[in-house]
Structures are given as C-alpha cells and as structure tokens.
Amino acid sequence: MMRPLALLAVMLLCGAARADELPALRRGINVLGYDGIWNGEVDNPFRMNDFDRIRAAGFDHVRINFFGLRHMDATGKLGRTALAALDKAIDGAIARGLVVVLDQHQNEECVTTPLLCKDKLVAFWKQVSTRYAGTRPALLYEILNEPGGVMTHEQWNDALADALAEIRAHDRERPVVVAALNVGGPVAVTQLRLPPDDRRLIVTVHYYEPMRFTHQSAPWSPDYAKFRNVAWGAADSRAAVEADFAPAAAWARENGRPMWLGEFGVYDKAPPLSRAAWTRHVARAAEKSGWGWAFWEFDHEFAAIDIATGAWRQDLLDALMDKPPANP
Ligand code: GLC
C-alpha cells in the first residue's frame, strides 16, 4: 500500500494532478442558441453587454449553444459569417470575465444518422480547434450536445474518440466537455469510454425530470404539450433527483472525472413557484454531488429573464444563486 505522500508525488509526476487546473465551471447559463447573431444579426435580441449582466448576477461561465453543423457547406467548410459571430460571442463573454463552453449544439444528424454525424463532427472540430489553438485559455469545447436517438453507446464512443483525436491533434491542452448519451438519465455516464490518459476532460449530463413537469405546455413537445398546471415539490419528487444523480456521481468519483450539469430548466408556462422550487433543488443537488451547472437558458422558452422587459426573473435567479426566496 502506497503512503499518501508518495502517492501524491507519483500523481504529480504523472501529471494526474493537472485535472485541478481545469477551469472551474461552477454556476453558468446557456446563451445564444436561438439568437440571430449567427445569421447576419437579424432578429438578435442578445446584446454583448448581457454578458456583463450575467457576470454581475453571479454566473462564472456561459455555454454558447452554436448549431455549428448547420453552417457547413457541402464540402464541410464552416461559413465566414457564422465563424465571425462565434469570435464575437466567445470574445465578448471572455472580455467580461466569463469562462466559455462552446457547445456544438446541432444534433439532428447525430440522432438520426450517426455515421454522417461523425464525419461532420470531425470536420467541424478540425476547423474550430485549428482556429482557436493556442489562444483563449478560458474557452472549452463541448463535442456534441445531447448525443442520442438511434445512436448507440458504441457509436457515440467511436464518434467522440475521433472528434477528440482531431481536437488533440491541434490543441493538446484545451479542456473538452464530453456528454454521456442522453438516454436513460445520468447513469449513462457509466457507458462512456474515454482515453484514460486525457485528464483535460469534463463529463456532462442534462436533467429535465420529470418531463411532464419541465416540458409542460411546450408546443413542440408532442408528449408534453397537453400538460397544464403540473406542480412539483413533493418529498418523493425531490428525493428522485438525488437518486438519479447518485450513480453518475459515484462513477465520476471512481474514475476521477469532473462532472458538469450542462442543462437543466423548466419551460416558462409551468407554475412559477414550482418552477423556482425545482430549479433550486436541482442546482443544490448538483452542487452537493460536486458538479457545476449551467441553467437552460438565458432567454427564449426556458428563460431566466422576463422576455418582455428583459429583467431577470428574480425568483429563478435567487433559486440558482441559493438566495432565500423573496416571498417564501
Ligand atoms: C435541448 C434542445 C433545446 C430545448 C432543450 C429543452 O437543449 O436543443 O431546443 O429547448 O433541450 O428541451
């Protein structure tokens, strides 16, 4: 049995302690997914000084939702307008002291045609990792948002390995976020196959359970659009969150992998008190598991702001930042 100090020395020599140097993703928020910034700034309500508001509200990072594969031409080349917008968004956030996770959010090809997806992802990350290599240490890459659908664990492990190898060919140090297959809950992390020597990885899951609560009245959700006034907060519903996180948290500890809850949120038609209660509970459950989190989302349908006035929804912000509710 190795003594603790000797073990520490071996870990340092092997570079294993480098995981400590990964940027801390503590409290974050998803931004820009549905903004017109990517398409020549038509219908683009997000302003660069919204990053100031985000920072001032207590967030330390943003997850920039970039539907990157959509901006590739038939040869796989990323368009100049979208790339210029990407520079602007990344630099705008970093200039305000925010860490940025660049999330390749476009997953339609991936959940329907996994092989096509793999080729496109590799082409995407080749261009992006070349573009930003050696710059912007506060920038992280997230290979793919919500892999899933018909994609199997095997296919995802294969695609992520190729995309990661492409990134590492250009940028050895960049912290990279890897999602578990978005199927069956956070326990899916146990099926991930990651290169054991790459300690610059953060593993991510999303959480929206129970869907009939978080997605109630969402018109685009065939299963949940019909639900109205679904409340949340019973003791067993609360306990279910910790139970869902537990196997992923155990896996993360055993494998020495940092975890991050990259999305969680409630559609804005849900009863406000329940919406804030769920948000508070899930954020705390993540923190207790040692995971940072990013709320879904700043504006648009699961918005943390009031779309009409642009002001924060104070109840949600208090829930996220662990401040007592104004009217308990
Ligand atoms: C995913 C989708 C996004 C949706 C969210 C909640 O991130 O890309 O459009 O709003 O999940 O369902």
Side-chain angles (χ1 to χ4, degrees):
M1 176 94 165
M2 202 178 271
R3 304 240 296 274
L5 266 180
L7 183 63
L8 181 66
V10 171
M11 283 171 67
L12 286 169
L13 283 172
C14 298
R18 289 230 319 265
D20 294 341
E21 295 163 21
L22 288 168
L25 300 176
R26 259 170 39 82
R27 294 176 169 175
I29 193 159
N30 282 272
V31 294
L32 287 169
Y34 298 96
D35 195 273
I37 184 176
W38 314 113
N39 302 310
E41 309 204 342
V42 178
D43 187 15
N44 61 322
F46 192 91
R47 303 268 70 90
M48 285 301 116
N49 61 17
D50 283 325
F51 287 129
D52 289 316
R53 296 208 293 147
I54 288 172
R55 186 82 185 100
F59 297 96
D60 52 49
H61 67 281
V62 287
R63 179 172 180 254
I64 294 182
N65 314 120
F66 180 51
F67 286 81
L69 305 189
R70 267 185 209 168
H71 296 285
M72 293 182 8
D73 66 16
T75 68
K77 195 161 181 285
L78 278 161
R80 285 170 55 179
T81 307
L83 282 173
L86 198 53
D87 290 349
K88 179 176 170 179
I90 291 169
D91 291 341
I94 291 176
R96 272 84 177 180
L98 292 159
V99 169
V100 174
V101 177
L102 169 55
D103 148 43
Q104 197 303 104
H105 200 77
Q106 169 76 18
N107 67 0
E108 272 163 48
E109 296 85 341
C110 301
V111 301
T112 54
T113 50
L115 293 179
L116 173 67
C117 158
K118 179 166 108 163
D119 291 348
K120 285 197 172 189
L121 270 185
V122 170
F124 174 88
W125 285 113
K126 179 177 189 168
Q127 292 165 80
V128 170
S129 61
T130 307
R131 186 177 190 85
Y132 298 125
T135 71
R136 302 165 174 85
L139 172 65
L140 288 71
Y141 299 149
E142 180 174 344
I143 294 175
L144 173 64
N145 169 62
E146 299 193 351
V150 304
M151 198 183 235
T152 63
H153 288 290
E154 207 45 45
Q155 285 169 327
W156 173 228
N157 282 326
D158 181 45
L160 82 84
D162 284 11
L164 184 58
E166 189 63 54
I167 293 170
R168 289 291 174 246
H170 308 284
D171 199 335
R172 300 204 61 75
E173 297 298 316
R174 183 75 56 191
V176 175
V177 175
V178 182
L181 207 66
N182 191 43
V183 172
V187 69
V189 298
T190 59
Q191 305 298 312
L192 272 175
R193 209 175 55 229
L194 301 173
D197 295 340
D198 194 335
R199 307 317 291 181
R200 309 288 292 160
L201 304 178
I202 295 171
V203 173
T204 191
V205 292
H206 292 175
Y207 195 73
Y208 289 102
E209 295 299 330
M211 287 290 284
R212 59 194 286 279
F213 168 68
T214 64
H215 281 62
Q216 60 185 297
S217 309
W220 42 262
S221 171
D223 294 336
Y224 307 108
K226 60 181 183 298
F227 287 102
R228 300 271 181 288
N229 297 318
V230 182
W232 182 90
D236 58 345
S237 318
R238 291 172 175 273
V241 178
E242 278 84 356
D244 286 345
F245 285 6
W251 173 89
R253 276 192 300 272
E254 279 158 26
N255 291 276
R257 295 292 185 188
M259 291 274 307
W260 174 62
L261 178 63
E263 281 187 24
F264 67 109
V266 183
Y267 193 69
D268 67 357
K269 299 290 184 295
L273 280 175
S274 291
R275 190 180 180 214
W278 183 93
T279 302
R280 181 181 294 276
H281 186 77
V282 174
R284 295 299 84 71
E287 289 168 359
K288 275 184 233 147
S289 306
W291 310 351
W293 49 254
F295 183 67
W296 183 266
E297 60 196 311
F298 176 68
D299 54 15
H300 207 63
E301 296 172 329
F302 288 57
I305 60 168
D306 178 326
I307 301 289
T309 65
W312 288 107
R313 296 275 321 251
Q314 198 59 44
D315 55 343
L316 286 179
L317 193 57
D318 289 346
L320 288 167
M321 295 302 158
D322 202 12
K323 301 211 172 107
N327 300 303

